[in-house]
Structure formats: C-alpha cells, structure tokens
Amino acid sequence: MIGLYDIMKKTSDLTEGKTGRVFLNFFFPMLFTNLLQQLYTFVDITIVGKGLGDNALAAVGNISVLTLLIIGFSQGVTNGFSVIIAQNFGNGNILTLRRSIAESIKLSVILSIILTGFSLIFLKNILLIMQTDFSIFNDSLIYGFVILGGLIITMGYNLCSGILRSFGDSQTPFLAIMVSSVLNILLDVLFIFILKAGVGSVAVATIISQAVSTVICVIRLLRAEGMQLNREDFKGDFILTSVLLKNGIPAACMNSVTAVGCMIVQSYINTLGVVYTSAYSVCNKYINFFMLPSVTAGFAICAFTSQNFGAEKYDRIEQGIRIGVMIGIISYLICGGIMVIIPDVLAMIMLNGHRTIQLTADFLRICGSLFFTLNFLFIYRSAVQGMGKPFIPMLSGFLEMALRIFVIVFFLPGIGFPAAAYAEVTAWIGALIINMSAYKYMMSDRYKIKKYS
C-alpha cells in the first residue's frame, strides 16, 4: 500500500526543514501564480475600458462586487476544506486524507450547483437592489450570467489548487495560471478587437481560461502517487463531512458577509452616477492587485500552519508568522508607497475621464497610507483558520461588513466619495484587531488547543 511518504516525494512537507527556506520556497510560486491571475484580471478590465469604454468598465466592475459574494463563498468553502486536508497531511493519516479529498469533491459539486442556480435566478433582482444605472444594466446582466454560469469551473479550480497547496505544491497552480493567463489575454484581444464582441465575450474568455487551469491541476492530482481515489474513498462519512463543513461554511460566510458589505457600499456609490461607479471599480482592481503579496502570504500561512498544527509543531507556526509579518511590511513599503506617491498615474492607466481619474487617485492615496493593516489582517486571519478556528475569522467578516456600512451610510452625505476609502480602512482595522487578538490568545495557551473543537 502506498503511504504518505510516496505522496510527499513529489510535494513539500512544510513540517520539516529550515522554516525560512521552506516557507519562501512555498510562497514565491504562489506569489507568481496570484500575480499572473491578477494580471489577466487587470488586462481584462484595461481592454474593456480602452476597447469598449468607461461604461462597459463600470458594468464589469459593478457585477464584480456580486461575483465576489458568490465566488467568494465558494472559495471560502474550498479553503476551509483545504485546512482539514493539510492537517491530515501533516499528521500522516493517509486514509483520512484520501477520504477528506473525496468528500470535499462531493460537497463542492453539490454546493456549486446550488450556488449557480441561486445566483442565476436572482441576478436581475440583485442588480436592481444595487441600484445599477440603466446605462450599464444590460452589460452587467450579460457578464454576470456568463461568469456565474461557469461557477462549477471556478470552484473546481479553487478546490484543486487548494488541495495541491495542502500538499505543499505551489508550482502546479503557477503553471496552470501561467497557461490560462496567456490564453485569456489572447481571447480578450480576439473577441473585442478582432471580432468586435461585447462585454459578455470577456466573461467567456475568463471561463475558458479557468477551465484550462482546472484541467492542468486535475492532471497533476491524478498523477500524484497514492492519490488515485477509489469507490471506498467516496463512501459517506458523516463525521468527516461535519468536520469539513464546520471549517468550510464559516470561511465561506466570512468571504460572503465581507462581500455583502462591499455590495452595499457599491449600491451607495451607484447612486452618485456612472463616473463614480467607474472610479470605484478601478479602485477595487488596484486594491486587489496590490494586496497580492499579503494574500499570498496568507495562503502560505494557512497551509503552513495547518500542516504544523496537525504535526503539533507550534514553534514552527510562530516562526512562519514572523516571516509573514515581514512580507507584509515589505509589501506595505512598496505597494502602499506606490498608491500614495503616484495614484494619478495608476488611475490614468485604466481610465479616460479627468473627474474619474481624480476620484480614483484620492481613494488610492487614503487606502495606501494604511495598507499595512490589510496586509497584517491576511497573515493573522490565515493563521487562525489554519489552526482550525474558522468562527473567529467569520465573526471578523461580520464586523468588516458592519463597519463598511456604518461609515458609508453616515459619512457619504458629508464627505462624498472618499467615504468609500475610509469605509475600507476602518473595516481592515476592526478585523485585524479581532484576528490578531485571537492568534495571540491561542498561542499563549497553545498546548490546550483541541483539534476541530
């Protein structure tokens, strides 16, 4: 019978070796993966803005807040599943490892079907609730139908890449995204500049590219020694299902309630006009891009913490956190500095209108000055998730939503569009305090932590 050692030969055991070297070898391929992922998202929005105009850009940005809710939920679920898979990998339980993967696949298929049906049925009503401007409504609807219709593909990639990260394999997702990024850019150019297609074609290009990246990850998993799942692995296991859902659902809820807060902010911004919607869309794109190093560090921390928590190596967890914090500080100095020093240049890359550029620059300058709080949030929240305590990050997600809504409701009438930026940084600070406090408390009492409690 093939054991855990055979699986580890082509993956990475994060519980052994010099912490810094092991962590960074795992971190950098993921960073390049996320950079490529954001690159083709960035190219998408740039091609839409320059090829189809600011209104089309506003339509894509408007629906992206909704897709953050649905796709964020699915990503949270698969990330939660990956924590359990990584813990089983760390403690060497090969039988439970295989069954947890099989059960994760079943649950992901079921949830993706439910989420797809729900999102497509209520998409039009949600756009109306968001007070989407009439001039961009149809484009938002078309883009949303395609993106959300392909949710099972998106969820499939998130699950497969999450499993690979649980095994310490960050190189295969990098290869997958590298191939799909090139394909996505080529399809964007083909559909918009050559075939003269509309906004919906951009969504089609994204889904096709994600399907390719999913296939690459699946092939890697099928070739992993000891990971050829059989019928026995797929037999129902109520206890294991409960453990997976106990970690997956809170992580999904954290992403979703955060997205709800963003949707409410988006709805208030939409009432100001399409110029403000375009500016807010571009601001979100840049925030998502510049937070990549800390997001990646968070993914690395989650997998690193999960494996070492399963192996009961708590000192290595603390060492990993220190490395993550250093990455967050360096990211703040570089990315936050760019947002503060040259926000006008960033805005002009995507936008055409003078007023839209000015609004975007003001937003980026405010967020850039406090960007370190977002970086640290990803580090500490991921550590808490990796130790199997998903409810604390979920509570922090509710706090983020409440703070965003409070700031936008009470300050938008007085100070205008900058209220959206202050809503962001206030939410980051509140969530950081909760997760950092929880991590400090758990590590001070680390030997009393009960797995899956």
Side-chain angles (χ1 to χ4, degrees), residues 147-347:
I147 287 293
L148 296 173
L151 183 61
I152 191 168
I153 295 173
T154 304
M155 197 163 186
Y157 170 74
N158 288 335
L159 178 63
C160 292
S161 60
I163 294 172
L164 288 169
R165 287 196 305 269
S166 299
F167 290 173
D169 180 0
S170 56
Q171 296 180 356
T172 302
F174 170 61
L175 172 63
I177 291 300
M178 182 170 62
V179 173
S180 66
S181 296
V182 173
L183 177 61
N184 196 95
I185 293 170
L186 293 175
L187 289 174
D188 280 342
V189 173
L190 172 66
F191 289 151
I192 291 183
F193 292 109
I194 298 177
L195 299 180
K196 306 297 182 181
V199 169
S201 66
V202 180
V204 171
T206 299
I207 294 300
I208 293 174
S209 302
Q210 285 181 340
V212 171
S213 62
T214 303
V215 170
I216 293 173
C217 290
V218 169
I219 291 173
R220 172 65 180 90
L221 286 171
L222 291 176
R223 290 178 177 176
E225 294 183 69
M227 282 296 102
Q228 289 70 40
L229 304 179
N230 54 47
R231 186 176 299 177
E232 288 294 318
D233 296 320
F234 283 92
K235 283 187 175 180
D237 187 330
F238 177 78
I239 295 177
L240 183 55
T241 299
S242 299
V243 170
L244 288 167
L245 291 177
K246 186 178 178 180
N247 276 268
I249 296 302
C253 289
M254 179 198 71
N255 286 352
S256 293
V257 296
T258 301
V260 168
C262 293
M263 285 178 61
I264 293 174
V265 172
Q266 179 80 64
S267 67
Y268 274 87
I269 296 300
N270 288 347
T271 63
L272 301 177
V274 176
V275 170
Y276 293 87
T277 301
S278 298
Y280 187 61
S281 300
V282 171
C283 291
N284 283 330
K285 292 298 180 184
Y286 274 118
I287 294 294
N288 291 337
F289 181 75
F290 284 124
M291 71 185 190
L292 279 181
S294 54
V295 168
T296 306
F299 280 134
I301 286 290
C302 191
F304 187 86
T305 301
S306 299
Q307 281 198 21
N308 284 284
F309 183 76
E312 300 182 355
K313 295 185 177 182
Y314 304 105
D315 288 340
R316 285 179 68 85
I317 293 176
E318 291 184 315
Q319 293 167 12
I321 291 295
R322 286 195 289 271
I323 297 171
V325 169
M326 287 302 301
I327 292 172
I329 292 172
I330 295 171
S331 172
Y332 170 64
L333 294 175
I334 297 174
C335 299
I338 292 173
M339 293 168 66
V340 171
I341 297 170
I342 55 168
D344 305 83
V345 175
L346 297 175

Side-chain angles (χ1 to χ4, degrees), residues 108-129:
S108 295
V109 171
I110 294 170
L111 288 171
S112 65
I113 293 172
I114 294 173
L115 288 172
T116 300
F118 173 84
S119 58
L120 295 182
I121 290 171
F122 294 104
L123 176 59
K124 186 174 182 179
N125 291 331
I126 293 173
L127 289 175
L128 290 171
I129 292 172

